[in-house]
Amino acid sequence: MKSLSSLGTGLGYGARAARHKLAIVAVAAMATLPAQAQDATVTIAALGDSLTQGYGLPPEEGFVPQLANWLAANGHEGVEVLNAGVSGDTTAGGLSRIGWTLTDDVDGVIVALGGNDLLRGIDPANSRSNLEAILAEVTGRGLPVLLAGMIAPGNYGPEFKRDFDAMYPELADRYDAVYYPFFLQGLGMGTDPGAAADLMQPDGIHPNAEGVAAMVADIGPFVAELVERARD
């Protein structure tokens, strides 16, 4: 398993879990809303990998519960976030399950995939095709989407990095997605992965609860924009 420092800002984090079924767990931002407010609940599905799933953390400290809590604390009441993260998943895995993730209850989608494509050195053209198909499926149903990007390390070569890094902003523009450039930018690593050591679990790959809180605080306003689009 490559560490964060070995991949630089590409951030290899995709520990492959031995799981064959995805349990989508609903985390309500406001569990005791009155009936009228519950009728107006906005449901956001977070499609991702181990970072979204909350690998190595108690359920309440993972990305999805912390995001739901952040939204509620910042005035975005009546928001439910669905955990559609699977550890080790690639863009191809996300594409394979996007159809049944988009239940009738879903009002918007966060797409945070691509890190495990990096770990495996998958051709960026394949990753791009998968992400585009996911975005086409979501927007084809009239749903707003937030696309969270990743950054390729330099050791894959300049052409790989160019193509991988470019696909996120280009696809976000094409599908009018809320664009969040780098899913882990809230950790404040910049060009030095070691700067986030205190925010990582002992594996040096996944953020700890404090690290997740930093991620959520940074991406939160972008998710709030997604929620507002879903309400419109």
Side-chain angles (χ1 to χ4, degrees):
M1 177 62 68
K2 299 179 182 178
S3 68
L4 283 170
S5 34
S6 69
L7 282 184
T9 53
L11 295 163
Y13 58 82
R16 188 154 182 88
R19 56 188 68 197
H20 302 284
K21 296 180 180 179
L22 168 64
I24 296 183
V25 181
V27 181
M30 297 291 284
T32 59
L33 290 172
Q36 184 175 3
Q38 289 179 12
D39 291 341
T41 294
V42 170
T43 300
I44 303 295
L47 184 74
D49 45 43
S50 57
L51 291 176
T52 304
Q53 181 263 331
Y55 178 88
L57 296 171
E60 68 276 8
E61 294 180 353
F63 176 77
V64 167
Q66 290 208 46
L67 177 59
N69 290 337
W70 185 95
L71 289 166
N74 284 272
H76 301 280
E77 300 181 351
V79 181
E80 185 179 37
V81 186
L82 304 180
N83 191 341
V86 174
S87 291
D89 218 1
T90 60
T91 57
L95 176 58
S96 72
R97 56 195 174 84
I98 186 61
W100 55 264
T101 297
L102 297 177
T103 64
D104 291 341
D105 295 335
V106 173
D107 301 301
V109 182
I110 298 168
V111 177
L113 289 163
N116 288 307
D117 294 53
L118 280 175
L119 274 179
R120 301 179 188 188
I122 293 172
D123 186 342
N126 291 339
S127 301
R128 184 187 184 111
S129 177
N130 294 331
L131 284 174
E132 181 154 23
I134 291 170
L135 295 176
E137 179 72 18
V138 175
T139 58
R141 301 193 187 200
L143 302 176
V145 62
L146 182 157
L147 180 62
M150 291 298 295
I151 300 174
N155 58 300
Y156 285 103
E159 292 184 358
F160 185 105
K161 179 171 177 58
R162 178 199 65 205
D163 294 344
F164 186 91
D165 292 356
M167 67 184 178
Y168 290 101
E170 291 173 1
L171 289 174
D173 182 65
R174 178 174 299 177
Y175 289 91
D176 192 29
V178 178
Y179 178 50
Y180 184 68
F182 182 35
F183 194 37
L184 295 171
Q185 71 183 26
L187 296 174
M189 289 175 290
T191 58
D192 179 16
D198 291 344
L199 299 176
M200 305 305 295
Q201 296 181 40
D203 63 7
I205 296 171
H206 299 89
N208 57 27
E210 184 180 355
V212 171
M215 289 173 60
V216 165
D218 200 70
I219 198 175
F222 295 81
V223 179
E225 180 181 346
L226 176 67
V227 169
E228 293 310 307
R229 288 193 184 189
R231 290 194 191 279
D232 290 343

